[in-house]
Amino acid sequence: MGLLEAIILGIIQGLTEFLPVSSSGHLELAKYILGDNSIPEESLTYTVVLHFATALSTLVIFRKEVFQIIKGLFQFKINDEFLFSLKIVLSMIPAVVIGLAFEKELESFFGGKILFVGAMLLVTAVLLLLADRAKTTNKEVTVVGSIIIGISQAIAMLPGISRSGATISTSVLLGVDRNKAARFSFLMVVPLILGKIAKDLLGGDIHFASEEMVPMGAGFAAAFIAGLVACQWMIALVKKSKLIYFSIYCAIVGVIAITYTFLG
């Protein structure tokens, strides 16, 4: 992978991690268009590295909230901070269980599966359409709701299903305030990404050849900077209930991907 391609993929990841259009799906489409012939494991490794960059951008944007989560976990008393931290932990469980139990199966969906990505983008489009039409409320994420939202996050490990789109849509359909839904969605993924990076590094599953270091670093930096911008932009868009535009976009890209597969 060349330097320019790595930067392009980094920018795509940074923007699409927070916009509800599936970052993993767009990365797979972009790598296919750019002619990346990585095997699924290598393709997934680069995807994980770019996700790590956007996780760091989330930590920067929500540093106060992250501190409150950590603080809440170690207070050992029932208050708002502890309950919010508990909800974040509960939301992680479905993705952790599915990710560990079906790791190899999930890897098989990466690496040029354009037809599958296109189909999943259509699913994302439907979710966003439903969320856009949902009524605006001021409700908080409940304990049960956090688990349901966590299940949607687990499903979103498939390329083409937008993680932010699925979790925000699920939250809104459960009656959660849009702004709170967006913040919960962005915060709940950080521990998972950091945990995934730690697991792969400790397990020796991530290998970087010397010639890959510069492109990886450039892609990482591009994803981090683009993520800082997109995160704040997405929160503003969710407040204004503009999910319909992303629904239309996902539907168009999904149809193009499916059509290209059959005609290409």
Side-chain angles (χ1 to χ4, degrees), residues 182-205:
R183 289 179 177 273
F184 189 82
S185 170
F186 297 151
L187 287 169
M188 66 189 286
V189 73
V190 174
L192 283 177
I193 294 177
L194 297 181
K196 171 65 175 174
I197 288 287
K199 175 182 176 297
D200 289 347
L201 286 174
L202 294 174
D205 296 325

Side-chain angles (χ1 to χ4, degrees), residues 17-18 57-66 68-69 84 87-88 91 139-141 149 153 163-164 167-169 171-172 176-191 230-239:
E17 171 62 26
F18 299 104
S57 65
T58 305
L59 289 174
V60 172
I61 298 296
F62 294 109
R63 54 191 177 278
K64 293 181 179 178
E65 287 88 345
V66 171
Q68 292 299 322
I69 292 173
F84 186 78
K87 293 169 190 175
I88 291 292
S91 71
K139 294 181 180 179
E140 300 273 355
V141 176
I149 297 168
Q153 177 169 247
R163 194 207 63 79
S164 62
T167 54
I168 291 174
S169 295
S171 300
V172 171
V176 178
D177 170 77
R178 292 174 182 272
N179 182 46
K180 294 173 182 175
R183 289 179 177 273
F184 189 82
S185 170
F186 297 151
L187 287 169
M188 66 189 286
V189 73
V190 174
C231 183
Q232 299 181 78
W233 183 25
M234 184 59 199
I235 291 174
L237 288 174
V238 172
K239 286 181 181 178

Side-chain angles (χ1 to χ4, degrees), residues 24-243:
S24 59
H26 275 71
L27 282 177
E28 290 304 302
L29 293 175
K31 284 186 282 189
Y32 186 83
I33 293 171
L34 293 172
D36 176 37
N37 296 315
S38 299
I39 61 174
E41 291 81 0
E42 293 173 343
S43 180
L44 184 57
T45 293
Y46 192 61
T47 299
V48 170
V49 169
L50 294 186
H51 274 80
F52 182 41
T54 48
L56 290 182
S57 65
T58 305
L59 289 174
V60 172
I61 298 296
F62 294 109
R63 54 191 177 278
K64 293 181 179 178
E65 287 88 345
V66 171
F67 175 75
Q68 292 299 322
I69 292 173
I70 297 173
K71 179 182 176 182
L73 286 174
F74 291 97
Q75 285 185 332
F76 303 108
K77 58 182 179 181
I78 306 300
N79 55 24
D80 290 341
E81 292 175 342
F82 176 81
L83 289 175
F84 186 78
S85 301
L86 176 63
K87 293 169 190 175
I88 291 292
V89 172
L90 289 174
S91 71
M92 295 165 48
I93 294 175
V96 170
V97 172
I98 293 177
L100 292 175
F102 301 100
E103 184 174 10
K104 293 300 180 183
E105 289 80 1
L106 288 170
E107 285 180 357
S108 67
F109 289 105
F110 291 80
K113 304 296 191 297
I114 305 305
L115 177 61
F116 182 81
V117 171
M120 294 302 99
L121 281 170
L122 295 182
V123 174
T124 296
V126 173
L127 285 173
L128 293 172
L129 178 62
L130 293 174
D132 188 75
R133 295 183 175 183
K135 295 181 179 179
T136 301
T137 69
N138 294 314
K139 294 181 180 179
E140 300 273 355
V141 176
T142 64
V143 172
V144 175
S146 68
I147 298 175
I148 296 173
I149 297 168
I151 293 173
S152 69
Q153 177 169 247
I155 296 172
M157 286 190 286
L158 297 172
I161 299 290
S162 167
R163 194 207 63 79
S164 62
T167 54
I168 291 174
S169 295
T170 301
S171 300
V172 171
L173 291 172
L174 290 173
V176 178
D177 170 77
R178 292 174 182 272
N179 182 46
K180 294 173 182 175
R183 289 179 177 273
F184 189 82
S185 170
F186 297 151
L187 287 169
M188 66 189 286
V189 73
V190 174
L192 283 177
I193 294 177
L194 297 181
K196 171 65 175 174
I197 288 287
K199 175 182 176 297
D200 289 347
L201 286 174
L202 294 174
D205 296 325
I206 294 181
H207 304 282
F208 300 112
S210 57
E211 66 272 13
E212 295 176 334
M213 297 305 292
V214 173
M216 283 276 189
F220 183 93
F224 176 75
I225 295 171
L228 291 175
V229 176
C231 183
Q232 299 181 78
W233 183 25
M234 184 59 199
I235 291 174
L237 288 174
V238 172
K239 286 181 181 178
K240 297 176 181 177
S241 184
K242 300 296 184 181
L243 297 178

